[in-house]
Amino acid sequence: ASDGEFQINFTSNAAMGVLKGYASLGCASYGQLDNTMEFSPIDVVAKITVALSQTPEECRIFHVITDQYIPMIQIFHEMETMGHPVAFVEPDDFAKAFAKAQRNPQKASRLTSLMAYAYGAGERERVSLNMSREYTLQVLYRLGLDWPITSWDYLRRFMHMLNGLGYFDEAE
């Protein structure tokens, strides 16, 4: 949060892979625009983890993830300002673009994170397990801590850092 730096292994981060996938496709379904992403800056994670480690041992099962969310539409708008526009299309048009890109070996390699969450014909439905941060948040409040608001400035610095490293570029 203090310097805008991101994890060193961002190229293997699934959430960042989703952003790369959308950049490669150049589109997202209208249904995906109200999805959200969370960013947990490592300096804040470290501070919170150290504080939580001081709690009684029988209380040490926590979800150290921010409770601040950014809508995907805002992330797509920021990607557009950096020259990586993501058009908003109907679900059927997105499915066609996604299927076409999967058949292109150069594009398919950039879609692995999107593919991991896609349902294909004949596949069993995946079930997401609900996770609650409420207990962790309540403990943090009692320790005098909370998650800082994820600012637009932070998002912009973060996205521009990825862009500056060529993360969204087609050639790798």
Side-chain angles (χ1 to χ4, degrees), residues 11-22:
T11 58
S12 62
N13 179 287
M16 297 307 95
V18 166
L19 296 181
K20 182 184 271 192
Y22 285 123

Side-chain angles (χ1 to χ4, degrees), residues 16-160:
M16 297 307 95
V18 166
L19 296 181
K20 182 184 271 192
Y22 285 123
S24 184
L25 282 175
C27 67
S29 166
Y30 283 109
Q32 295 156 329
L33 300 183
D34 58 357
N35 290 343
T36 59
M37 286 187 79
E38 59 88 11
F39 296 84
S40 299
I42 194 62
D43 51 348
V44 178
V45 170
K47 177 181 176 181
I48 286 175
T49 300
V50 169
L52 291 171
S53 73
Q54 305 303 310
T55 61
E57 190 171 330
E58 59 273 7
C59 300
R60 288 194 194 148
I61 298 178
F62 300 109
H63 296 289
V64 183
I65 303 170
T66 185
D67 60 344
Q68 307 292 312
Y69 299 94
I70 296 179
M72 289 300 295
I73 192 168
Q74 298 300 326
I75 295 168
F76 293 143
H77 287 321
E78 193 59 35
M79 289 171 66
E80 183 174 14
T81 69
M82 298 181 306
H84 305 287
V86 176
F88 309 139
V89 299
E90 295 298 332
D92 288 344
D93 295 328
F94 177 78
K96 289 174 188 171
F98 190 58
K100 180 179 177 184
Q102 285 178 304
R103 292 188 298 272
N104 177 333
Q106 184 179 357
K107 290 244 185 208
S109 67
R110 299 173 56 81
L111 302 176
T112 56
S113 291
L114 285 176
M115 285 188 242
Y117 299 104
Y119 299 115
E123 289 186 23
R124 292 190 297 191
E125 181 179 354
R126 293 175 180 92
V127 177
S128 295
L129 300 176
N130 289 331
M131 185 268 306
S132 172
R133 296 175 181 92
E134 296 308 312
Y135 175 74
T136 303
L137 292 174
Q138 287 298 318
V139 172
L140 288 174
Y141 301 153
R142 284 159 176 80
L143 294 172
L145 298 170
D146 58 19
W147 285 95
I149 292 175
T150 304
S151 70
W152 295 117
D153 179 59
Y154 176 81
L155 173 65
R156 283 186 189 103
R157 284 187 292 144
F158 170 78
M159 296 296 289
H160 285 271

